[in-house]
Amino acid sequence: MGSRSGRGLLLHLCICATLSVAVGCGFYYFSLNWFKEHKSSEKIAALQLVDAFVTNYSAIRSQFGNDAPVPASFRAHAIEAFNKQNGQNSEFRLASVGRPGREILTGPSDEKMAEAVEAFAAIPNPKPVSEFLDVNGQLIFRTVYPTIAQEQSCVSCHNTLQPDKPRWHLNDVIGAFVIDIPMSAFLRSVTWQSAGIGLGLFLALTFAGLTISLIHFRQLEALDASAAKLGRTQKFLDTIIENMPLSVAVRDVRDRCFVLINRTAEAIFGIERGSLIGRDVHGSSDEETVQNLFPLANEALTTLDLQTINEQTICTPHNGARILTTKNLSIPDETGEQRYLLSLSEDITERKEAAARIEHMAHHDALTDLPNRLAFVEHLDRSIAAAAASGGSFAVLSIDLDRFKEVNDTFGHAVGDDLLRALARQLGALAGEAYLARLGGDEFTLITPIGDQPALAEMISGQLQAAVAGDMDLNGQNLRVGLSIGVAIFPADGSDATTLLNNADAALYRAKAAGRGKTRFFEIDMDNRLRERRAIQRELRSAVDRNELRLHYQPLAKIDGEVIGFEALVRWHNPQLGIISPATFIPVAEESGLIIQIGEWVLREACREAAGWPHPLQIAVNLSPIQFRHGDLPGLVHLVLLETGLAPTRLELEITEGVLVEDFDRGLSILRRLKALGVRIAMDDFGTGYSSLSYLQSFPFDKIKIDQSFISNVRSNPQSAAIVRAVIGLAHGLDLPVLAEGVETKAQLDFLAAESCNEVQGYLMGRPHPILEYSGLVGRTGVAGEEQQSA
């Protein structure tokens, strides 16, 4: 009811009620007037007949004899008889009354009747009257017809009957005929009819109004829903436009006033839309803003197509120079004429800067900001093309930092990173026009300008060597490092990027082998060695699959000569390359990552072999530091022990200190997991590093193996003897067994026995051979005999 339709329905109901009451009342009063008009004429006509009959009777009374009643008596008795005949309940009452004071039989029944009769006598030619009267609280309809003495006989009659009253004369009003009709029943009927008509009209109008209101309400409801939906859509569009990350501006083409500017436009252009919307800023100080918001607007209006401006640089008052991409579109009205110009602008400044940063990061090293490998290769290709076109020559320098590993291990990686940054700045300052890049780790490369080679390369190498020859003060630490440099010259040492880089690396390898702080130029024999190394690596990839690897076993004995186990040593026999020494292919395997596959094969094969020995001797297997870096080594060892059934206590894993040097925490964690399996851990090549003592303190090794470089000189070199003696004493103090490697003479064995060394290994005890050579030691005597007979 609170809606417009509800309020309209209430108003309609009020109007219907008013109209219904008016119609009911009109019908009521119309019925009364109709009754008065028609009943009055009927009653007057009847009374005229009565009056005429009495008059005629008076005229002919003499014909009936002297005994005939006088007219007055005749009239009175006739009316009395008529009323009796109608009965008491009849609504029709007829009376003949005389004037007050002159009545013969019947006088006026009430004051109103008397006044009406006297009024007839006061005027000439009186006319009958009809009216509604309230008599004694009852509404009646009364018709009064004047009775006039029109016959002399009638006058004489009345005078005879009333000798003591005033005399009648001809044409005097002697009384009146009166008809009274009670109106209660009629009024009741008319009232109900009026009420019924009013109520029926009210209900009909109400129903019609209600129907119309419902239809209108539904229409309004639909309109309201449409308006609400339109409002929500408008609000949604306003919200979308307001929060779009694009600048949105709309201008009226006809009056050149701004129609719409969103929040992003304010932020990008540094404007206040309240001061612009609805204004034509042509010729004002804001015209530059218009040019920024609608670049090339006239062209967009001319072409009528979407206009795209890929990059537009503007100067904003609050945010400096910004780079935008803008789209302009002319929008016509319903007549097809151009009405609005829409401009969408996106601020791509940060994107361009990010792209530039990404581009820079893609081509530069994150630590030193020097060009990276990708940028270096691209520059090398350009240098090769330029040199080939001009017939010139340039050099590629492969630079490696000496003693960098020691700096990392001693002072930590943070100091190592600072060293690389400082060195990059120093080398970059010396490089001049040369192109310096960092390829990774402590490896740098440099491309010289095109010039006289090898003189230019030698000069630059000398300058770089001299720059880092002294101590470097870095965060209060005095660090001494050096450079090893390998040089390859275009086109003599290679005409393509790959060859040049490989040859420069070969020269670097030669320089590092010759000692620290050296520079070596590429030579043909380096290429041969490099080719050989690549051939080894290529063949090594499929050595396990082709079953070319073999295990040889070297005895491990107590100092008294009792064999307590064997060390498994891998050998490789290639059909093309022949027998290849482990000293040759193991470093290649470690550099290429193939040591993971080879190490797993050695471990599984050694454990499988040892598990089948009748005598439960120990089996020792060497682990590479590379195996600690990749994969789950403890999980592999556990799996192999389960597969082969070898008791964990029989397996001894030999490691070098490189396992702990490269990543101490990770290496120590893996060693503890291996120890938890029940296997033995031995420190191999003890004494060759500088931090072995700290490792002995950090982890409970099961054995120490003294490197053969000390044992070989134990009789000829007092220093070697002192070191061996000290290591044995240290191990006994830690309650650790000591094994001496490389024992080849009786004199060496006697020295170790005198120093209470626990175990020995070397040619004196036995050379590495296939396990069949030691069948008797492992308990396979019968098998050995059968093999010898077969041979």
Side-chain angles (χ1 to χ4, degrees):
M1 296 303 292
S3 65
R4 286 181 292 171
S5 296
R7 293 192 294 271
L9 178 61
L10 290 177
L11 178 61
H12 176 76
L13 292 176
C14 293
I15 295 175
C16 290
T18 303
L19 183 61
S20 299
V21 171
V23 170
C25 292
F27 178 78
Y28 179 83
Y29 288 107
F30 171 79
S31 299
L32 291 181
N33 290 333
W34 179 88
F35 184 88
K36 181 178 180 181
E37 180 179 351
H38 288 77
K39 293 298 181 181
S40 175
S41 60
E42 290 177 3
K43 301 304 185 285
I44 290 173
L47 292 178
Q48 283 178 342
L49 291 175
V50 172
D51 184 53
F53 179 78
V54 173
T55 301
N56 290 331
Y57 173 76
S58 176
I60 64 173
R61 173 178 174 275
S62 60
Q63 299 177 8
F64 294 103
N66 293 329
D67 295 331
V70 297
S73 299
F74 173 77
R75 181 175 54 199
H77 289 296
I79 290 174
E80 182 179 358
F82 175 79
N83 288 333
K84 287 182 179 179
Q85 184 178 357
N86 285 341
Q88 295 296 326
N89 296 326
S90 175
E91 295 181 353
F92 187 86
R93 292 287 183 266
L94 177 63
S96 175
V97 298
R99 289 179 60 188
R102 296 185 180 186
E103 62 270 20
I104 299 175
L105 294 177
T106 306
S109 61
D110 54 68
E111 186 178 350
K112 289 286 186 179
M113 187 182 297
E115 291 177 357
V117 174
E118 287 299 316
F120 288 154
I123 58 175
N125 301 318
K127 302 296 182 181
V129 294
S130 297
E131 59 181 342
F132 293 102
L133 296 174
D134 185 358
V135 177
N136 299 323
Q138 184 181 12
L139 183 64
I140 62 173
F141 180 70
R142 174 174 290 176
T143 300
V144 181
Y145 184 86
T147 302
I148 300 174
Q150 296 178 348
E151 295 291 338
Q152 184 61 44
S153 60
C154 185
V155 173
S156 300
C157 179
H158 280 78
N159 289 333
T160 301
L161 294 175
Q162 297 177 316
D164 55 345
K165 293 185 179 180
R167 307 294 292 176
W168 294 98
H169 299 90
L170 191 64
N171 294 325
D172 283 348
V173 176
I174 60 177
F177 290 113
V178 180
I179 298 177
D180 284 342
I181 300 176
M183 295 297 297
S184 298
F186 175 76
L187 290 178
R188 208 165 30 249
S189 174
V190 170
T191 300
W192 280 108
Q193 291 178 0
S194 299
I197 291 173
L199 181 61
L201 179 62
F202 175 78
L203 292 178
L205 293 176
T206 299
F207 179 76
L210 180 61
T211 302
I212 295 173
S213 296
L214 287 175
I215 295 173
H216 185 246
F217 175 76
R218 290 175 181 174
Q219 292 176 342
L220 289 179
E221 193 176 42
L223 290 175
D224 290 341
S226 299
K229 184 177 180 180
L230 183 62
R232 289 193 299 270
T233 303
Q234 182 67 37
K235 184 176 180 181
F236 172 74
L237 291 177
D238 292 342
T239 303
I240 292 297
I241 293 174
E242 186 68 11
N243 292 279
M244 283 180 66
L246 301 177
S247 164
V248 180
V250 179
R251 192 178 182 192
D252 195 315
V253 175
R254 295 179 302 183
D255 57 15
R256 298 188 296 185
C257 291
F258 283 97
V259 177
L260 171 67
I261 298 176
N262 71 344
R263 183 168 52 193
T264 304
E266 286 187 307
I268 291 177
F269 295 96
I271 58 178
E272 293 184 5
R273 51 184 162 179
S275 63
L276 294 177
I277 293 179
R279 286 183 52 214
D280 177 11
V281 297
H282 180 69
S284 67
S285 59
D286 294 319
E287 189 165 5
E288 182 180 357
T289 301
V290 177
Q291 297 299 326
N292 292 335
L293 280 169
F294 300 94
L296 304 179
N298 293 331
E299 182 178 338
L301 292 173
T302 303
T303 61
L304 305 182
D305 294 327
L306 179 66
Q307 181 188 52
T308 301
I309 304 172
N310 291 327
E311 287 192 16
Q312 167 199 5
T313 302
I314 65 170
C315 184
T316 62
H318 66 300
N319 208 13
R322 310 298 294 175
I323 303 174
L324 308 179
T325 176
T326 302
K327 289 181 173 61
N328 290 331
L329 180 62
S330 177
I331 302 175
D333 59 13
E334 60 275 4
T335 65
E337 296 183 0
Q338 303 307 310
R339 178 63 188 276
Y340 300 106
L341 181 61
L342 169 66
S343 174
L344 301 175
S345 298
E346 181 182 7
D347 190 345
I348 60 173
T349 307
E350 284 76 13
R351 187 192 307 169
K352 295 284 289 185
E353 293 174 352
R357 287 194 299 270
I358 293 173
E359 177 70 16
H360 182 83
M361 292 170 61
H363 290 82
H364 288 78
D365 173 54
L367 180 64
T368 63
D369 204 38
L370 289 176
N372 60 9
R373 183 181 296 274
L374 176 62
F376 173 78
V377 171
E378 292 176 354
H379 186 83
L380 180 57
D381 290 336
R382 292 193 296 269
S383 299
I384 291 174
S390 63
S393 179
F394 66 91
V396 176
L397 278 63
S398 183
I399 306 169
D400 193 77
L401 188 59
D402 297 331
R403 290 184 290 271
F404 180 69
K405 182 175 180 300
E406 297 178 10
V407 172
N408 263 344
D409 293 340
T410 304
F411 301 102
H413 291 285
V415 175
D417 291 344
D418 291 340
L419 174 62
L420 290 175
R421 281 190 287 264
L423 183 65
R425 290 192 297 269
Q426 194 169 2
L427 296 181
L430 292 172
E433 296 181 1
Y435 190 83
L436 178 67
R438 179 186 178 225
L439 303 188
D442 59 345
E443 182 181 357
F444 296 84
T445 55
L446 184 142
I447 301 175
T448 69
I450 296 175
D452 184 20
Q453 303 297 344
L456 181 58
E458 187 173 3
M459 182 190 69
I460 293 177
S461 299
Q463 291 175 348
L464 297 179
Q465 295 279 11
V468 296
D471 291 344
M472 294 184 63
D473 185 4
L474 192 65
N475 298 330
Q477 301 286 346
N478 288 324
L479 306 178
R480 180 177 291 274
V481 294
L483 298 180
S484 294
I485 303 175
V487 184
I489 298 175
F490 175 88
D493 299 333
S495 58
D496 60 85
T498 302
T499 303
L500 281 173
L501 287 175
N502 289 338
N503 291 341
D505 286 341
L508 175 63
Y509 184 80
R510 183 71 175 273
K512 293 183 75 68
R516 296 171 177 174
K518 304 295 183 182
T519 299
R520 289 291 183 268
F521 285 77
F522 177 75
E523 298 172 358
I524 295 299
D525 65 328
M526 295 181 187
D527 184 53
N528 294 334
R529 286 193 296 272
L530 182 60
R531 291 178 185 275
E532 179 184 351
R533 189 178 185 87
R534 288 176 181 168
I536 291 175
Q537 181 175 339
R538 184 174 58 254
E539 292 294 325
L540 189 58
R541 292 186 184 279
S542 56
V544 174
D545 295 334
R546 293 198 301 260
N547 199 27
E548 295 176 1
L549 298 181
R550 299 289 186 271
L551 285 185
H552 286 194
Y553 297 84
Q554 186 174 26
L556 306 175
K558 291 184 178 180
I559 196 67
D560 58 5
E562 179 188 354
V563 175
I564 59 174
F566 292 89
E567 180 179 358
L569 302 172
V570 65
R571 298 293 185 263
W572 180 23
H573 184 274
N574 183 265
Q576 286 77 30
L577 304 177
I579 298 175
I580 304 173
S581 169
T584 301
F585 74 81
I586 291 298
V588 175
E590 290 184 329
E591 290 179 7
S592 62
L594 293 173
I595 193 66
I596 302 296
Q597 181 185 11
I598 295 174
E600 181 177 346
W601 180 86
V602 170
L603 177 65
R604 182 172 277 105
E605 184 66 17
C607 291
R608 184 195 61 78
E609 175 62 37
W613 297 342
H615 295 166
L617 302 178
Q618 290 184 351
I619 182 69
V621 178
N622 288 283
L623 296 179
S624 169
I626 307 299
Q627 293 176 270
F628 279 76
R629 288 189 231 142
H630 304 282
D632 182 12
L633 181 59
L636 173 63
V637 173
H638 188 207
L639 179 62
V640 170
L641 291 174
L642 292 176
E643 289 178 353
T644 60
L646 181 69
T649 55
R650 293 180 59 195
L651 177 60
E652 184 173 275
L653 300 177
E654 298 183 4
I655 69 165
T656 62
E657 65 181 21
V659 169
L660 297 174
V661 168
E662 294 181 0
D663 190 340
F664 180 80
D665 293 334
R666 174 178 172 81
L668 191 61
S669 174
I670 293 176
L671 288 176
R672 287 172 176 167
R673 291 175 62 192
L674 291 171
K675 186 81 170 177
L677 294 176
V679 301
R680 296 166 59 83
I681 307 296
M683 171 67 79
D684 197 10
D685 299 337
F686 186 81
T688 58
Y690 65 91
S691 58
S692 297
L693 296 179
S694 63
Y695 298 151
L696 293 178
Q697 184 179 11
S698 301
F699 184 77
F701 288 95
D702 296 292
K703 183 185 294 184
I704 294 176
K705 299 184 71 173
I706 303 176
D707 189 69
Q708 61 182 353
S709 61
F710 299 107
I711 303 302
S712 61
N713 298 322
V714 74
R715 282 300 187 183
S716 60
N717 189 326
Q719 286 81 9
S720 295
I723 291 174
V724 172
R725 189 177 293 113
V727 170
I728 294 174
L730 173 64
H732 288 169
L734 296 174
D735 197 21
L736 289 176
V738 179
L739 184 146
E741 296 181 306
V743 178
E744 299 179 355
T745 65
K746 184 69 169 55
Q748 294 171 349
L749 180 62
D750 293 340
F751 173 82
L752 294 171
E755 297 299 330
S756 301
C757 182
N758 303 96
E759 301 172 6
V760 291
Q761 177 184 358
Y763 290 169
L764 185 62
M765 277 61 253
R767 292 177 178 272
H769 289 296
I771 197 62
L772 290 176
E773 297 290 334
Y774 298 109
S775 297
L777 293 176
V778 299
R780 292 178 177 171
T781 305
V783 175
E786 292 175 3
E787 291 292 341
Q788 290 172 358
Q789 289 175 4
S790 299

